[in-house]
Amino acid sequence: MKVGIIVFPGSNCDRDMYHVLTDVFNLDAQYYWHEKSLPKNIDAVILPGGFSYGDRLRAGVIAAHSPIIKDVQKLAEKGVPILGVCNGFQILVESGLLPGVLLKNKSLNFMCEWTNLIVENNKTPFTNQFKLHQKIPIPIANGEGRYYADGDVLKQLKKKNQIVFRYSQIVNGSTDRIAGVCNEAGNVVGMMPHPERAVEPEINPVDNKPSSLIFESLLVKMGVSN
């Protein structure tokens, strides 16, 4: 199974993601610079966290115009699993692959803390091993992580089961406590918290198993035994 990790100028969680994919889950992961192309036979794509282009103009908006995004869009249309984490989520939104927008946190501060997610959709390639409403202890680290959707968009998200994760409590002022969404097909998922920072017991003070299920779900989706 080949997983591509896209690297933008300013990405800083790409190595964490690579470590988890290769050392924890024994997957064949490779870095792809944002100016390059993605291979057609790739099995999954991950857009990691960071501060692409220094969050200039708006988090993720410049990276959303990188050449490699056209390949991501084509793969998304083919049903290839795509995960955007934190800045990766922002890029997916800015590129039109996911609905809504990410705004500055209500506190206007950078937030770095542990929180809990609630699984609202366990039918995606990254959540199929969860029980519905299962809790995930996981860290956040962002300054523009407040998900916003107006009334019409929120109505459609609920109707089409596109809300994947909610915070268990109010964290940053996100609409309806939304922490992650998917596209209508369900193969493109974006989330603000960092699962790659929570899958190992050495760095998760609560329980690393739930975050591990995000990656184990991908393995099951692709028919890979770990």
Side-chain angles (χ1 to χ4, degrees):
M1 178 178 172
K2 297 180 180 179
V3 182
I5 302 171
I6 301 178
V7 182
F8 301 91
S11 295
N12 66 6
C13 299
D14 45 327
R15 294 187 181 185
D16 294 346
M17 190 64 74
Y18 181 87
H19 160 67
V20 167
L21 292 173
T22 59
D23 296 330
V24 179
F25 293 99
N26 302 311
L27 293 175
D28 179 9
Q30 295 183 28
Y31 297 116
Y32 291 93
W33 185 238
H34 72 114
E35 294 178 331
K36 303 298 183 180
S37 298
L38 288 170
K40 295 180 179 180
N41 64 340
I42 202 162
D43 297 302
V45 177
I46 295 181
L47 288 75
F51 301 92
S52 58
Y53 292 95
D55 282 351
R56 297 294 182 180
L57 301 181
R58 192 170 62 243
V61 68
I62 299 179
H65 292 85
S66 292
I68 203 169
I69 295 300
K70 291 183 179 179
D71 288 343
V72 176
Q73 292 169 333
K74 291 177 182 178
L75 291 170
E77 292 175 359
K78 294 180 180 179
V80 172
I82 297 170
L83 175 66
V85 175
C86 200
N87 189 224
F89 184 12
Q90 295 163 336
I91 295 169
L92 290 177
V93 167
E94 293 290 348
S95 65
L97 283 166
L98 290 176
V101 65
L102 279 306
L103 304 175
K104 289 184 180 297
N105 295 330
K106 190 174 182 179
S107 65
L108 300 182
N109 293 321
F110 185 89
M111 301 181 69
C112 183
E113 61 188 61
W114 284 83
T115 186
N116 289 298
L117 296 185
I118 304 298
V119 178
E120 301 290 354
N121 177 346
N122 62 352
K123 304 298 183 182
T124 79
F126 302 98
T127 58
N128 61 63
Q129 292 303 291
F130 287 97
K131 294 179 180 178
L132 201 59
H133 306 312
Q134 186 170 344
K135 184 180 292 186
I136 308 174
I138 197 168
I140 57 171
N142 60 72
E144 296 181 41
R146 176 165 63 98
Y147 184 83
Y148 175 78
D150 63 24
D152 291 338
V153 173
L154 182 60
K155 182 178 180 180
Q156 290 301 309
L157 289 175
K158 292 180 177 180
K159 180 180 179 180
K160 298 177 180 179
N161 196 29
Q162 289 179 254
I163 300 174
V164 180
F165 302 110
R166 279 192 174 96
Y167 297 108
S168 63
Q169 59 187 15
I170 296 174
V171 172
N172 56 9
S174 291
T175 299
D176 206 30
R177 294 185 286 108
I178 293 174
V181 299
C182 65
N183 62 345
E184 290 188 28
N187 63 301
V188 181
V189 174
M191 60 187 298
M192 284 310 299
H194 288 266
E196 77 281 6
R197 300 182 186 180
V199 301
E200 296 172 282
E202 294 85 357
I203 57 175
N204 190 322
V206 184
D207 182 6
N208 67 300
K209 182 60 178 177
S211 286
S212 296
L213 292 178
I214 291 174
F215 299 98
E216 290 178 23
S217 292
L218 179 60
L219 295 177
V220 171
K221 170 66 178 179
M222 304 310 298
V224 178
S225 59
N226 187 31

